[in-house]
Amino acid sequence: MVIHRLDLDVAIYRDRIQVTHRTTRNFADQPAEFGFSSVDSIVAHPRYLEDAIVRAIGKILRRGGFEMLAPVARVVSCETKLDPAEKAVVEAALGEAGMRKVVFEID
């Protein structure tokens, strides 16, 4: 079995997270079990955002063959523009989900 570095593309939509592993192109679509978006913010409820992220990453990891030494998450898409406070929420949620590095590629 080939071991891949965990390098993920993350897309954020209203109450939905999509994660794609960059190398294998494995894809996970995760609707939020508990809504994390509100009328005012796409990431209004950080704990629920983290829950959706963890579930999406779990779907990728279940396919096996990943190195967890220095996982990277690249935020590549968001339904709305993220202000600095929202970026901080996303970065913290991804960090709590185990990502060591978070890169915003949507600016």
Side-chain angles (χ1 to χ4, degrees), residues 2-105:
V2 176
I3 304 296
H4 298 281
R5 183 168 172 249
L6 191 60
D7 191 352
L8 304 175
D9 287 342
V10 177
I12 304 167
Y13 302 98
R14 292 209 174 271
D15 295 329
R16 179 181 286 317
I17 297 293
Q18 293 180 338
V19 175
T20 306
H21 183 259
R22 282 192 159 205
T23 304
T24 64
R25 304 311 298 164
N26 285 340
F27 173 79
D29 178 54
Q30 181 63 53
E33 295 227 351
F34 307 99
F36 58 77
S37 300
S38 71
V39 173
D40 298 325
S41 174
I42 197 159
V43 294
H45 304 286
R47 196 251 173 261
Y48 299 149
L49 171 65
E50 180 188 335
D51 179 73
I53 290 168
V54 167
R55 290 173 188 275
I57 292 172
K59 287 180 178 180
I60 298 291
L61 292 177
R62 278 193 285 282
R63 295 182 182 139
F66 294 102
E67 173 185 298
M68 299 299 291
L69 182 61
V72 176
R74 299 168 197 279
V75 181
V76 296
S77 179
C78 187
E79 187 173 318
T80 63
K81 184 169 174 59
L82 295 171
D83 66 30
E86 290 172 322
K87 280 185 177 180
V89 168
V90 170
E91 186 170 12
L94 286 164
E96 289 295 320
M99 298 295 102
R100 296 291 180 255
K101 182 177 180 182
V102 177
V103 178
F104 288 90
E105 295 185 351

